[in-house]
Amino acid sequence: MQLPFLRILVQGRIGVTIFSFVTGYVCALKPIKLYRQNNQDAAFTSIAKSALRRVPRLVIPCALATVIIWIMANLGMFLVAKQSDCWWCGKTAPDRQANVYQSVKHLIQNIISTWTRGQNAYDGNQWTLLPLLKGSMEVYTFVIATAYIRPQFRMVMSLMMFAYFWIASDSAFGMQFFWGVFLCDLQNHPPATEWLSRRPRMSQVLAAIFLFLGLYIASYPEGHPEWATWSRYQFKVLQQILPKDPDFPRFASGIGLELITLGLHFSPALRDVLSSKYLLWFGKQSFAVYLLHGPLLRSVLCWMVYGIRVPPPIINDKGETIHGTLMFPSGWRLMISLPFWIPLNYGVAMLWTGYVDPWCANLTEKIVSKLMLARDEKGVLLPQ
């Protein structure tokens, strides 16, 4: 699909960019609010607790998801995906190991490598988690370093960090972390909010322009921009403004998201719409959907589309074993399957958010309470 705007709904690339932006925004939000109240000490305490919680709150649920996928792989639930003609499904479907020892060893190695090399053979989507964890620590460090700087200069420094990561071609993570910090500061800056209230019409016009441009740029195709006039023109513009050897699709998603969020800044009414309880519910499920959509796609959706039977292997004249390939039946079968699979995905995510995530949060709090220094009712540190 080479159509602008509609591409965003199916390509999914902007999802990683959104996670990065939200990470920067959320990690900076409470400290910046406390800084503006001249309450730096409370902000430092908040950052210390948040930074300590951040590691187990990411590592524990991701490790549990990897164990679940490991069990599914050893039960043969990805065999259909492995032998389908879907390149992505076959490449990301994990192999079964020769014996129990090798299987457990492989599981432990992949849980560790998720956080050391950004690689997980059981769930390739977890490659984003290491940069997100690093980015949150970069934001905490930046926020601490700028604790006693005037807000307008902190915003300038956020944009300088944004420019640094632009030059470094880190469009999916670094740019978004510090754009989130900048926008967090901007939305808590009284002169900026006063400007919006005094110029509602101009704000609406700017919001419409930024939203249109953002959605248009974020529509950049994953490949072959020369196939359509709109993407060919966009490619020529990006060539002129991006650093050497950039990832054009990732940069387009990043720039598009920055313009979209800027448009939302100029439209308080649209921000209120996006804060409705229904959309907040979808946001609450987003991390669970991200963790679980891969294994559900390689199992249930593949069964719906390709069936549950795996073709038997064939031995050729040379004695080589050749595995049969399941061919994609039709687009109609996929379209019929999706209305059932998507609610299933969100249903499983609801169970995860309702039961697994609270358990992970409680375990994290127990770990943090054991590690943190004791304080009295007034928040004063007790003698050690």
Side-chain angles (χ1 to χ4, degrees):
M1 182 187 289
Q2 292 291 109
L3 296 176
F5 306 107
L6 295 178
R7 282 193 53 83
I8 300 174
L9 300 175
V10 297
Q11 66 188 7
R13 187 183 63 222
I14 200 172
V16 174
T17 313
I18 293 172
F19 273 128
S20 301
F21 167 77
V22 171
T23 296
Y25 189 97
V26 170
C27 289
L29 182 58
K30 188 174 181 179
I32 284 175
K33 284 185 174 180
L34 290 169
Y35 288 167
R36 289 180 176 272
Q37 299 168 10
N38 292 323
N39 198 350
Q40 273 76 0
D41 289 341
F44 294 153
T45 302
S46 172
I47 293 169
K49 289 181 179 179
S50 298
L52 189 57
R53 290 191 187 100
R54 195 75 180 172
V55 176
R57 284 297 282 128
L58 282 175
V59 171
I60 294 172
C62 295
L64 283 176
T66 302
V67 171
I68 292 170
I69 298 168
W70 170 75
I71 294 171
M72 294 173 68
N74 283 284
L75 291 174
M77 296 176 71
F78 301 133
L79 292 179
V80 171
K82 197 74 178 174
Q83 293 189 223
S84 70
D85 63 347
C86 171
W87 174 85
W88 184 87
C89 294
K91 183 181 179 182
T92 59
D95 295 312
R96 287 193 278 189
Q97 302 300 306
N99 52 59
V100 174
Y101 171 77
Q102 289 292 336
S103 183
V104 174
K105 179 183 176 182
H106 193 247
L107 169 66
I108 295 171
Q109 287 175 338
N110 278 276
I111 290 174
I112 294 171
S113 66
T114 302
W115 305 102
T116 54
R117 295 183 294 164
Q119 297 175 2
N120 188 323
Y122 292 97
D123 187 10
N125 291 322
Q126 291 193 26
W127 72 272
T128 61
L129 299 173
L130 179 59
L132 288 173
L133 179 59
K134 287 181 176 179
S136 63
M137 298 304 166
E138 290 172 357
V139 170
Y140 289 138
T141 303
F142 175 85
V143 172
I144 291 173
T146 57
Y148 294 99
I149 292 178
R150 293 178 183 178
Q152 57 268 36
F153 294 117
R154 183 169 54 244
M155 286 189 279
V156 171
M157 294 183 71
S158 299
L159 293 177
M160 289 173 66
M161 293 297 298
F162 172 85
Y164 168 81
F165 284 108
W166 176 294
I167 296 169
S169 287
D170 188 1
S171 55
F173 297 104
M175 283 169 51
Q176 309 313 319
F177 296 141
F178 287 95
W179 181 256
V181 176
F182 165 74
L183 213 59
C184 176
D185 232 337
L186 184 64
Q187 290 187 345
N188 286 280
H189 194 51
T193 54
E194 289 173 12
W195 193 96
L196 293 176
S197 60
R198 290 178 180 176
R199 300 170 178 83
R201 290 186 179 179
M202 185 179 293
S203 296
Q204 290 174 2
V205 172
L206 290 173
I209 292 172
F210 285 128
L211 287 169
F212 176 82
L213 288 175
L215 291 169
Y216 170 74
I217 295 172
S219 304
Y220 189 86
E222 197 69 33
H224 299 289
E226 71 279 1
W227 285 359
T229 304
W230 69 271
S231 55
R232 185 165 58 249
Y233 173 75
Q234 194 178 141
F235 173 73
K236 291 179 180 178
V237 174
L238 291 174
Q239 265 188 320
Q240 300 300 317
I241 64 174
L242 297 185
K244 185 179 180 181
D245 299 326
D247 185 337
F248 285 95
R250 292 285 181 194
F251 254 108
S253 291
I255 297 170
L257 179 65
E258 283 135 22
L259 292 172
I260 291 168
T261 53
L262 201 56
L264 292 174
H265 168 74
F266 284 106
S267 179
L270 190 54
R271 291 206 304 270
D272 292 337
V273 172
L274 294 177
S275 299
S276 67
K277 62 179 182 179
Y278 302 106
L279 293 178
L280 288 176
W281 181 86
F282 278 103
K284 184 179 179 181
Q285 313 304 324
S286 60
F287 185 61
V289 169
Y290 183 77
L291 282 180
L292 301 171
H293 81 280
L296 289 174
L297 189 154
R298 293 187 293 268
S299 56
V300 179
L301 185 58
C302 282
W303 297 340
M304 289 178 172
V305 175
Y306 292 96
I308 59 174
R309 293 185 179 180
V310 179
I314 301 172
I315 300 176
N316 62 14
D317 297 336
K318 299 179 181 179
E320 299 171 338
T321 301
I322 301 174
H323 295 282
T325 301
L326 293 165
M327 304 305 295
F328 183 68
S330 69
W332 283 110
R333 189 158 179 174
L334 175 62
M335 296 303 294
I336 294 170
S337 300
L338 286 175
F340 296 94
W341 179 79
I342 292 173
L344 172 67
N345 197 346
Y346 274 90
V348 176
M350 283 178 61
L351 293 174
W352 183 279
T353 305
Y355 296 98
V356 179
D357 201 52
W359 181 84
C360 296
N362 290 333
L363 180 57
T364 297
E365 288 304 315
K366 289 179 181 178
I367 295 171
V368 170
S369 64
K370 292 289 184 182
L371 297 177
M372 292 290 289
L373 293 171
R375 293 174 179 267
D376 62 16
E377 310 84 46
K378 297 180 180 180
V380 179
L381 287 174
L382 296 175
Q384 303 300 310

